[in-house]
């Protein structure tokens, strides 16, 4: 059970390499964010690193150890704010590449599903609105504002 999540957005250059430009948002178990919102670039790709903690100890290793039972899903409102997302860790979502598009305000919703059938058709896409059909339950369901410019 987590009590803090840190989401790092590491800006990638045109070649896909990481830069020193990182934007982080920290959320507690109630979904309260620090800072309250973040600003990211339009038509810009980021390496998205999720770090979950329980009592200031990382629990990412537990998620990786049970990789066949865990998967993150990513949604934006408006949905067009996320142009693409690709899993970089075998369809878990602790490590991925996300590209944003458009200009304006959006809400980013991150869901960690536990106990799902990752081979189910509705679990194959990072943003399938029918992901619940793959079974399991939400371990994490957080939403925070993102300004895209």
């Amino acid at each position: 059970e987590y009590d803090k999540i840190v989401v790092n957005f590491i800006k990638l250059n045109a070649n896909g390499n990481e830069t020193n430009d990182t934007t982080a948002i920290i959320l507690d178990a109630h979904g309260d964010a620090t800072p309250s919102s973040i600003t990211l670039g339009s038509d810009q790709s980021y390496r998205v690193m999720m770090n979950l903690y329980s009592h200031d100890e990382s629990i990412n290793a537990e998620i990786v150890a049970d990789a066949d039972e865990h998967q993150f899903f990513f949604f934006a409102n408006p949905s067009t704010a996320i142009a693409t997302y690709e899993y970089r860790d075998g369809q878990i979502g602790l490590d991925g590449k996300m590209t944003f598009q458009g200009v304006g305000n959006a809400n980013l919703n991150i869901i960690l599903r536990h106990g799902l059938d990752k081979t189910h058709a509705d679990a194959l896409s990072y943003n399938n609105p029918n992901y619940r059909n793959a079974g399991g339950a939400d371990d994490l369901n957080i939403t925070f504002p993102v300004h895209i410019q």
Side-chain angles (χ1 to χ4, degrees):
E1 190 73 22
Y2 79 96
D3 54 27
K4 179 173 76 173
I5 179 170
V6 179
V7 185
N8 290 297
F9 295 87
I10 305 162
K11 189 175 185 177
L12 302 176
N13 65 22
N15 296 326
N17 297 317
E18 293 179 22
T19 67
N20 291 326
D21 186 352
T22 300
T23 301
I25 190 163
I26 301 167
L27 299 107
D28 65 18
H30 306 289
D32 295 326
T34 306
S36 58
S37 68
I38 58 173
T39 300
L40 299 170
S42 180
D43 300 317
Q44 177 62 56
S45 294
Y46 294 85
R47 180 178 184 191
V48 181
M49 303 283 299
M50 315 287 285
N51 295 291
L52 280 73
Y53 296 90
S54 177
H55 306 290
D56 291 323
E57 302 253 345
S58 175
I59 58 171
N60 283 17
E62 296 172 29
I63 295 169
V64 172
D66 292 327
D68 58 334
E69 298 179 9
H70 290 93
Q71 183 174 343
F72 282 91
F73 293 89
F74 302 90
F75 300 94
N77 185 9
S79 61
T80 55
I82 299 175
T84 61
Y85 177 84
E86 80 183 49
Y87 293 99
R88 291 185 158 183
D89 57 3
Q91 200 180 338
I92 300 172
L94 289 168
D95 185 0
K97 178 183 174 185
M98 188 177 291
T99 303
F100 293 91
Q101 65 184 6
V103 174
N105 295 317
N107 286 313
L108 185 59
N109 179 217
I110 300 174
I111 297 166
L112 173 59
R113 198 78 172 164
H114 176 248
L116 74 164
D117 174 3
K118 292 174 76 167
T119 64
H120 191 281
D122 291 333
L124 299 180
S125 175
Y126 72 89
N127 64 348
N128 190 320
N130 299 314
Y131 71 92
R132 288 182 186 91
N133 292 339
D138 292 353
D139 275 352
L140 168 80
N141 190 330
I142 55 171
T143 302
F144 54 90
V146 177
H147 180 72
I148 301 168
Q149 65 182 22

